[in-house]
């Protein structure tokens, strides 16, 4: 069963320069299909870590933070 879930970025920092990333933490019985998740053109998969029955998927964005935040405004 596909269960889409939307992420929202709430950045209140005055300086939006620099690098940033995010992680999705799921039970290991849930399969995360990162290749089909939005925005595939704008983020890169870094690694997956398995620990204690959970998987944490790490990503980083390719675009500057101010551009990504602009998508959600």
């Amino acid at each position: 069963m596909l269960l889409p879930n939307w992420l929202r970025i709430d950045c209140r920092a005055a300086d939006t320069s620099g690098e940033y990333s995010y992680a999705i933490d799921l039970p290991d019985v849930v399969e995360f299909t990162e290749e089909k998740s939005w925005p595939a053109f704008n983020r890169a998969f870094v690694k997956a870590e398995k620990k204690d029955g959970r998987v944490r998927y790490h990503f980083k964005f390719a675009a500057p933070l101010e551009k990504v935040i602009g998508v959600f405004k």
Side-chain angles (χ1 to χ4, degrees):
M1 176 185 313
L2 296 176
L3 300 170
N5 194 347
W6 299 98
L7 301 175
R8 180 178 175 134
I9 297 173
D10 184 1
C11 178
R12 298 175 188 182
D15 181 9
T16 57
S17 62
E19 293 185 17
Y20 57 102
S21 62
Y22 67 95
I24 298 174
D25 186 355
L26 299 170
D28 62 4
V29 296
V30 176
E31 181 184 353
F32 179 70
T33 55
E34 60 90 11
E35 70 279 354
K36 296 179 182 176
S37 63
W38 183 91
F41 66 91
N42 203 16
R43 51 105 183 105
F45 175 71
V46 177
K47 65 180 176 178
E49 296 176 313
K50 292 183 179 186
K51 183 178 177 183
D52 299 328
R54 301 196 63 84
V55 181
R56 182 173 282 181
Y57 299 91
H58 296 269
F59 299 90
K60 67 179 182 175
F61 280 104
L65 181 58
E66 59 267 3
K67 286 193 177 207
V68 175
I69 290 173
V71 170
F72 296 101
K73 287 185 178 181

